[in-house]
Amino acid sequence: MIAAIKPGGSNTRGLLAYLYGPGRQDEHLDPHIVAGFAMLGMPDPGRDENATLTELARYLDEPVRLRNSEFGRPVTGHVWHCPVRAAPEDRYLSDAEWGEIAGRIVETVGIAPPGDDLACRWIAVRHADDHIHILATTVREDGRRPGLHNSGKRVGDACRAIEKNYGLRQLKTGDGTAARRPTQAEMHKAERLGWSRTSRDWLEERIRAALPHAATAEEFLAYLEADGVIVKAKRGPSGDILGYAAGRPGDLNGDGEQILHPGGRVAPDLSLPKIATRLDTGDRPEEHPTARRNSPDTPWQRAIDTLDSFSTGLGDDAEAQAHITALGDLIEATAQAVPAESHVELRSAARVFARAQRSRVRADDRAAHALRAAVRDIVHTATGPDASALATLLAAMVWAARLGERWHEAKRHAQQAEAAATAVAHLQAAADAALAPVLGELAARQPRQAARHVLAHDVRNVVPAHAERILADPAWPALTTALTDAEARGHRPDQLLKAAAAQRELDTARQPARVLLTRIQHTSRNPAVNRRAEAARQRSTTWSPAAGGAAPPAQQWARPTSAPVRDNRPRRQ
């Protein structure tokens, strides 16, 4: 159940005309009063053909008129308006039930406290099956004004209790950081112009898409303009950007002027000060992505490496919020660079995860510098990921988003946790689609039975608690191939399994073999270090004849630095 307090103004008669009128699209049917401060003797134009809207307005405004006649300064803004809407899947509520709901809301908010005979005058009008409108005049019978501070939160708390009592869909409690819902006027305008989304929704998507590309506020605004957004910057005397407003082409007001929305009105975290904080690298000089092209790793591999340590950034609250915010930017950046078959799910994940990116916790954005650098690497690379790298990255993002969900749950951020859970479902679907061809290719060339027997022995030794689930996983044949390929590059399969199992717990993994596969494919992409050659190199840098001095004793060269590792695995035939 959603209740949204709206600016009521001072025209009681005008609001009644809307409530009892046909609506903007003739959607108002049978308008009538279902509850009020004193039902006896109250004129109801919906039920009494002799009653008029003017009569009802005067009835509600009587305390306002009396107060204004006694005091020199008239009361303004006295109309309180609160639509209350049930969810589409909720059952039909009778007039009596809607009346009870309206009474509970006006009691909770302070419009009409229980047992107060001098409370404000109010009515609840129903003109559709799924919602009512509560209208109150905020001058009490004794001439005092009610205390309506923080009424939005109180109405929300009342709705959560009503949902439980009436068996309705239970919404999550918010913390005041959610974006404003589209108004009916915005939705009707979008429908009239043939737009699938309202202007503010369209702008939010474009603004979030620009963030991964920018390192400064100037770059951010330039990218927005290049993407077709109308931008108006507010600058100080020095020329520095102080704020901005954005508009959608074709979104005009009644005078034919472009409508512009300040960034903070589009979404709470998209004001320029908050964006500038996210882009600020602090004392660390920002390295342009093109300067990292000589790195042996691809941007996708660097992003995976960064996500490997994601959980370590969730210890401190400020750092945790920063990493979750940066994870949303990474999802957005990946959605812009992946093949078409993964684009839809990732775009949905980015859109939903935006709610999980903001909370009341103030983020230390500099703590997520490495993750933001990976984000900019991705949007500035000219090549997309190969199938294996994409599958590994998506699997890592699934795990990171799940960690973010758990952090929000621990902090009782109900709406953020729900958004993160929904994003996990979209990311998992994208990961499944990306991994399917990789699994097929690996399973088609699985090693012989003797080699699989040895690898099964490794699994039972390294992860005994999950061994049977891993061996029964449909991805097990593909995992054996990945381990065999890694062994050919000089890695030990048992050590790779141990390292992969330590990177995340497997209790909640749906398919533990798939989880291990994505981690092993990433960590074993390079040949293993030749330990004997590395030891010889270390000795050669410690002493040489040219350096002078006595050579180390011969036995010192042969002394092992640690006890030898015994390989007890069954030998392959």
Side-chain angles (χ1 to χ4, degrees), residues 88-109:
E89 63 269 29
D90 284 339
R91 63 179 177 84
Y92 175 86
L93 295 171
S94 66
D95 281 357
E97 288 175 315
W98 274 121
E100 293 170 358
I101 290 170
R104 290 180 59 169
I105 290 177
V106 294
E107 286 181 3
T108 301
V109 81

Side-chain angles (χ1 to χ4, degrees), residues 32-263:
H32 59 281
I33 295 175
V34 295
F37 76 101
M39 293 296 290
L40 293 178
M42 183 184 298
D44 182 2
R47 289 290 183 263
D48 184 356
E49 61 182 11
N50 296 318
T52 65
L53 296 179
T54 300
E55 183 183 6
L56 177 58
R58 287 174 179 171
Y59 193 72
L60 294 170
D61 281 340
E62 182 63 19
V64 182
R65 186 188 65 79
L66 291 175
R67 175 182 169 119
N68 288 345
S69 66
E70 295 177 2
F71 297 94
R73 187 175 181 179
V75 173
T76 60
H78 64 273
V79 179
W80 189 85
H81 177 208
C82 180
V84 185
R85 184 179 299 274
E89 63 269 29
D90 284 339
R91 63 179 177 84
Y92 175 86
L93 295 171
S94 66
D95 281 357
E97 288 175 315
W98 274 121
E100 293 170 358
I101 290 170
R104 290 180 59 169
I105 290 177
V106 294
E107 286 181 3
T108 301
V109 81
I111 295 288
D116 189 347
D117 295 333
L118 300 178
C120 299
R121 298 190 177 191
W122 64 275
I123 59 172
V125 176
R126 182 180 189 179
H127 55 207
D129 289 342
D130 63 346
H131 72 278
I132 60 172
H133 291 258
I134 303 174
L135 183 159
T137 51
T138 58
V139 174
R140 293 165 46 86
E141 299 287 348
D142 56 10
R144 295 186 294 119
R145 303 295 300 273
L148 300 179
H149 175 69
N150 207 23
S151 58
K153 183 178 185 306
R154 284 185 278 170
V155 169
D157 292 341
C159 287
R160 302 295 82 77
I162 290 169
E163 290 162 356
K164 293 180 181 179
N165 298 148
Y166 286 81
L168 307 177
R169 176 188 174 187
Q170 296 184 25
L171 302 180
K172 303 296 183 182
T173 302
D175 59 358
T177 61
R180 293 191 305 166
R181 294 180 178 273
T183 65
Q184 285 192 350
E186 289 175 325
M187 292 188 289
H188 291 159
K189 184 176 185 178
E191 184 178 353
R192 185 172 68 253
L193 296 177
W195 295 340
S196 60
R197 309 182 68 188
T198 64
S199 290
R200 280 194 292 120
D201 284 345
W202 184 88
L203 287 171
E204 181 178 0
E205 182 175 291
R206 295 302 189 281
I207 293 172
R208 295 195 187 281
L211 286 173
H213 295 263
T216 65
E218 293 284 0
E219 289 184 11
F220 165 69
L221 296 185
Y223 188 90
L224 277 182
E225 290 182 328
D227 197 28
V229 178
I230 298 173
V231 179
K232 181 179 180 180
K234 179 182 178 181
R235 297 183 182 271
S238 62
D240 294 338
I241 302 176
L242 303 180
Y244 77 101
R248 181 179 189 174
D251 186 13
L252 309 177
N253 62 17
D255 297 328
E257 300 170 338
Q258 176 66 50
I259 297 176
L260 297 172
H261 299 268

Side-chain angles (χ1 to χ4, degrees), residues 308 392 491 496 499-500 503 518-526:
D308 284 345
T392 303
H491 294 277
L496 286 175
Q503 286 180 338
T518 56
R519 307 313 307 160
I520 287 171
Q521 276 203 304
H522 175 61
T523 56
S524 67
R525 66 183 184 275
N526 296 323

